[in-house]
Amino acid sequence: MRQVTTHNSRIAWRRFDCSKSPLHLEATLRTGQSFRWCRDANGVWWGTIESVGVALWQPDGEPYGDLYWQTFPEPDLWEVVEDYLQLRTDLESLYCRWSFAEPRLAEVFRAFAGLRVLRQPPEECLFAFLCATTNTVTKIERSVRYLAERYGARICTGLDKPATLFAFPSVSALSAADERDLRAGLWGYRAPFVIKTAQKLLQKPQGWLRALRDVPYAEAHEALLEFPGVGPKVADCVCLFALDKWEAVPVDRHIYRLGVRLFLPHFEGRSLTPRLYKAVAEAFRERFGPMAGWAQQTLFYAEAGLYRRPDKESSRQRRF
DNA sequence: CAGGTC
DNA sequence: GCTGG
């Protein structure tokens, strides 16, 4: 654990070696699973995990290189970082299994090695994906950021750079939010979903949502469907990104297109109905096993083309 | 046209 | 069918 100094801020960096199990930080934080991470001019990623502020930095973005990290205001909360990034999950054995099951995709898994599914705070994840329906990643990011800065508590970093970060708002703060205010904050028709879901969540016992981590996938998925604005797709996102349901496969239009093309060609051309949603998700689980959701996340990144800079050309050419 | 839901 | 790139 040596000290490293960046240009315009002094951070007492801690170091973690990713040579044995990779972490592709940019792909992980920019895959459309978490929406509030920002990269500054020095290449440092800033975000929050519950009430903890976090700085992450990967020199040259090398997935098998070193990860530098620190927490704020309380320093050295490694377990918070490790848990969130799921750094104990052995990806190499997964890539081996997936590539054996689906050789056509081996190259893709290798190309984005180190892309991890996060283990997010369940409440932030649920509310973020309430806003993800028929929306763009860029706009979701702005919307969730708006929620945090408007209704969330400040986290003091003690630095001049990001002097403060914002914790995601409490459920009670969201339940009392003004609908017109939310509509203006880019949430549009989703605004009442946020307020009603927050109010419904307040009726539950303390820690109810998080406790879904300890029940089977089907049960957790079913429980989430009772909230307004939550359908099968959003429920799968929360299951996968926050509730440890790694067999959950969110099927959006990108995953649907890829799944039909590769696994269910006889469905080519048909629209995404609940029945075909289930069929594609099952096809993923049959091939990739109990961690099918992780395979899905890499393929989503590739299929949705999130990795290429927002350049106008480079038409959608499929290499797989 | 965008990581769907009511 | 809410909104913006």
Side-chain angles (χ1 to χ4, degrees):
Chain A
M1 300 268 187
R2 72 193 165 119
Q3 303 269 329
V4 177
T5 306
T6 54
H7 307 306
N8 52 11
S9 77
R10 303 190 119 204
I11 300 171
W13 289 112
R14 302 299 176 190
R15 187 162 57 100
F16 177 76
D17 175 16
C18 296
S19 63
K20 292 193 182 62
S21 195
L23 169 67
H24 192 316
L25 195 57
E26 175 171 15
T28 298
L29 300 181
R30 277 286 164 83
T31 331
Q33 49 176 328
S34 178
F35 300 97
R36 297 206 297 133
W37 289 92
C38 282
R39 183 164 51 186
D40 70 16
N42 297 320
V44 178
W45 292 91
W46 294 91
T48 68
I49 304 170
E50 303 286 3
S51 59
V52 179
V54 181
L56 301 170
W57 179 48
Q58 236 180 357
D60 307 319
E62 171 51 48
Y64 292 87
D66 289 325
L67 168 70
Y68 293 90
W69 63 276
Q70 190 49 278
T71 59
F72 305 90
E74 189 181 342
D76 302 338
L77 297 177
W78 169 241
E79 286 174 20
V80 173
V81 176
E82 183 189 49
D83 181 70
Y84 182 83
L85 294 172
Q86 308 215 107
L87 293 170
R88 290 175 178 274
T89 301
D90 177 21
L91 288 177
E92 298 294 343
S93 62
L94 286 178
Y95 296 150
C96 195
R97 171 181 185 155
W98 298 343
S99 299
F100 180 76
E102 197 48 74
R104 290 174 290 178
L105 297 173
E107 196 181 322
V108 183
F109 294 130
R110 183 48 54 194
F112 303 114
L115 194 166
R116 292 172 181 274
V117 166
L118 296 169
R119 189 173 198 235
Q120 300 183 49
E123 286 172 3
E124 172 163 355
C125 186
L126 171 59
F127 286 104
F129 279 97
L130 274 182
C131 129
T133 59
T134 45
N135 214 341
T136 62
V137 171
T138 309
K139 244 186 81 182
I140 300 167
E141 288 171 348
R142 287 175 46 190
S143 300
V144 182
R145 196 162 301 139
Y146 174 84
L147 264 195
E149 294 179 4
R150 174 74 177 77
Y151 296 100
R154 290 173 176 274
I155 299 173
C156 184
T157 63
L159 305 168
D160 7 298
K161 258 206 316 193
T164 58
L165 299 167
F166 287 87
F168 192 76
S170 67
V171 176
S172 60
L174 292 177
S175 72
D178 178 52
E179 183 176 326
R180 284 166 308 167
D181 178 55
L182 286 189
R183 284 185 186 274
L186 299 179
W187 285 69
Y189 69 89
R190 307 173 186 91
F193 293 159
V194 173
I195 298 168
K196 285 177 189 160
T197 289
Q199 290 170 346
K200 223 166 164 44
L201 213 43
L202 271 184
Q203 309 299 318
K204 303 286 186 185
Q206 194 71 31
W208 176 85
L209 185 60
R210 183 175 297 265
L212 293 180
R213 283 179 171 171
D214 302 319
V215 307
Y217 166 49
E219 191 179 325
H221 190 267
E222 176 76 19
L224 290 171
L225 291 178
E226 79 169 272
F227 296 97
V230 178
K233 197 285 188 170
V234 170
D236 271 330
C237 287
V238 180
C239 279
L240 176 61
F241 301 137
L243 299 179
D244 303 341
K245 307 300 181 271
W246 300 317
E247 70 269 53
V249 178
V251 180
D252 77 311
R253 44 180 253 101
H254 299 293
I255 287 299
Y256 180 67
R257 184 176 57 211
L258 179 146
V260 166
R261 187 172 76 239
L262 291 178
F263 309 143
L264 306 166
H266 51 291
F267 287 142
E268 199 92 51
R270 292 179 51 179
S271 58
L272 177 45
T273 60
R275 198 172 82 86
L276 289 188
Y277 183 105
K278 191 103 174 151
V280 169
E282 278 303 326
F284 268 79
R285 283 188 278 270
E286 282 169 20
R287 282 160 183 79
F288 303 119
M291 301 285 277
W294 287 60
Q296 172 277 150
Q297 198 59 17
T298 297
L299 298 175
F300 172 77
Y301 192 62
E303 183 75 7
L306 294 173
Y307 52 94
R308 57 173 162 72
R309 287 285 141 220
D311 57 335
K312 38 272 175 196
E313 57 114 23
S314 84
S315 56
R316 41 193 64 206
Q317 47 180 340
R318 306 290 169 212
R319 305 164 315 180
F320 54 94

